[in-house]
Amino acid sequence: MRSVSRRALLRGGTLGVAVVTVAGCATEERVPPVAAPPDPETLLLRELIAGKELTVALYASAASARLEPFRQRHEAHLAELRRRLPPAPPASAPAPSPTPSPSGSAAQGGRPSVRTLRDLERKAAALRTRQIEGVSPPLAQLLASIGACEAAHALALSRSL
């Protein structure tokens, strides 16, 4: 019978341990990856889009030719916000939180008053300055531009139309 050297025995033992370790890892139960938290900018964009959709609907329900340019500017804002929204992963995107409708809205069956629209514009413009904090520079620039437009709308609506 042939004797086995210590080196050969150690190599064989090491190889055996490696094989057992790899085999053990292969049979481990795989845990599904935890979903990453939603991107804060994506959530903000969804919230902004919902608010703009409401604003566009209010201006459309006002049915006034003088308010048409206001509605068109809000539609342009909405288009740009939608353009920046990344595509949602299939069936994993949380639904946007419902946006409360202001009093006098089309949802309540009446036409919104100019005062209602002016108050909506003022509140939206004031909100933009808080929304800019912590977002990327391109989104901050867009929000600042939208806020400036909303402030101009509030001022224009304060004057008699």
Side-chain angles (χ1 to χ4, degrees):
M1 184 161 133
R2 190 171 162 212
S3 69
V4 179
S5 71
R6 256 187 350 185
R7 281 190 182 158
L9 186 61
L10 286 174
R11 279 189 212 141
T14 304
L15 182 62
V17 169
V19 168
V20 169
T21 302
V22 170
C25 289
T27 60
E28 257 186 44
E29 187 177 320
R30 297 193 184 254
V31 177
V34 177
D39 177 44
E41 283 195 11
T42 301
L43 293 175
L44 177 60
L45 282 167
R46 287 189 183 129
E47 180 183 319
L48 292 165
I49 288 169
K52 280 293 172 184
E53 288 172 341
L54 175 65
T55 302
V56 167
L58 285 172
Y59 274 100
S61 68
S64 169
R66 291 183 176 182
L67 296 175
E68 185 64 19
F70 294 83
R71 184 187 59 79
Q72 290 172 346
R73 285 188 285 273
H74 283 292
E75 285 176 342
H77 300 162
L78 182 58
E80 183 59 26
L81 291 167
R82 285 180 176 153
R83 188 184 71 75
R84 291 174 186 249
L85 185 67
S92 66
S97 59
T99 306
S101 60
S103 60
S105 71
Q108 295 176 351
R111 288 185 175 176
S113 67
V114 172
R115 182 180 192 169
T116 299
L117 294 171
R118 183 189 64 228
D119 291 345
L120 178 71
E121 297 281 7
R122 281 185 182 155
K123 289 175 186 174
L127 184 60
R128 301 300 170 243
T129 57
R130 290 190 299 268
Q131 291 170 329
I132 288 174
E133 189 175 322
V135 299
S136 65
L139 184 55
Q141 185 178 18
L142 175 63
L143 292 177
S145 297
I146 290 173
C149 185
E150 290 163 338
H153 284 182
L155 182 62
L157 291 170
S158 295
R159 299 179 184 142
S160 62
L161 287 176

